[in-house]
Amino acid sequence: MPEVIFDVRWPDGSRQSFYSPSLIVEEHFRAGGSYPVADFVDTSRTCMRIADQRVRQKYGVGCAQSVVTMAGIERSAARFAGDEHVTLEAFRR
C-alpha cells in the first residue's frame, strides 16, 4: 500500500513531519496550501480514518500508525488558535 510523509509548518514557524499509511492526504491537501489549524486537524482526522479503513480492508487489521499520527497532529495543533494557519509544505514518498 502506498504511503506518504507530509511536512507541515505551524504558525510559529516550527516544522514537523507526519506519516500517512495511504495517499489519501494528497486528495485532501495540496503541497504549499495554507489551512486554518482547526480545518487542518478536522481534515487530517478524516484522512487518518480513511487511511485506517484502507489498511483494514487490505490487511484485515487497522493501522496503529494512523492513530499515532493523529495524536501528534492534535498535540501540536493544541498550541495554536483554530484560525491561525498551518502550511502543508510538501509530500514525500
Side-chain angles (χ1 to χ4, degrees):
M1 175 166 277
E3 53 192 44
V4 66
I5 303 294
F6 53 108
D7 302 319
V8 302
R9 183 172 25 91
W10 294 103
D12 64 358
S14 63
R15 289 183 165 83
Q16 197 168 10
S17 297
F18 296 103
Y19 169 84
S20 174
S22 164
L23 301 180
I24 190 67
V25 292
E26 293 181 354
E27 296 175 24
H28 289 266
F29 296 114
R30 67 175 178 78
S34 177
Y35 306 92
V37 170
D39 292 348
F40 177 74
V41 171
D42 288 344
T43 302
S44 295
R45 192 174 291 117
T46 297
C47 289
M48 291 304 107
R49 186 172 33 251
I50 293 168
D52 181 70
Q53 291 169 348
R54 288 180 177 179
V55 170
R56 187 176 305 281
Q57 287 173 345
K58 185 166 185 170
Y59 299 106
V61 294
C63 179
Q65 187 59 44
S66 61
V67 174
V68 171
T69 294
M70 198 60 234
I73 290 171
E74 289 172 338
R75 187 173 38 257
S76 294
R79 302 184 327 235
F80 307 104
D83 60 350
E84 292 184 84
H85 280 74
V86 58
T87 301
L88 196 148
E89 294 191 321
F91 295 109
R92 294 183 284 133
R93 293 189 191 180

